[in-house]
Amino acid sequence: MTTAAFVALACAFIIGLGAIGACIGIGIMGGKYLEASARQPELMNVLQTKMFLLAGLIDAAFLIGVGIAMLFAFASPFGA
């Protein structure tokens, strides 16, 4: 396999595994939010604010991975 093929494969892994991790993380967090708000409904607004903040941070980590994969794919720092 050529270097370009390995770069394409690495980009696919970076984006794919990052997406899987972000989806699982946000899914678990959403489930825990629903459990916590069912137990203590008076804390729902506070928990919702924290949940959306964490969802943004999880999504930002995934998008940083996408940006790095696009750097590898289009800028080709390895000379592929």
Side-chain angles (χ1 to χ4, degrees):
M1 290 177 69
T2 64
T3 306
F6 283 123
V7 169
L9 192 60
C11 292
F13 278 125
I14 289 171
I15 293 173
L17 293 176
I20 289 171
C23 290
I24 290 172
I26 289 176
I28 290 171
M29 183 182 57
K32 296 295 181 179
Y33 165 72
L34 290 176
E35 289 177 12
S37 61
R39 285 187 189 158
Q40 294 182 331
E42 66 273 5
L43 293 178
M44 184 182 286
N45 292 334
V46 176
L47 292 173
Q48 185 178 19
T49 303
K50 291 179 182 179
M51 186 194 71
F52 281 125
L53 178 67
L54 288 174
L57 291 174
I58 291 170
D59 195 41
F62 165 65
L63 290 177
I64 289 170
V66 170
I68 291 171
M70 293 299 112
L71 173 73
F72 289 158
F74 295 116
S76 191
F78 300 115

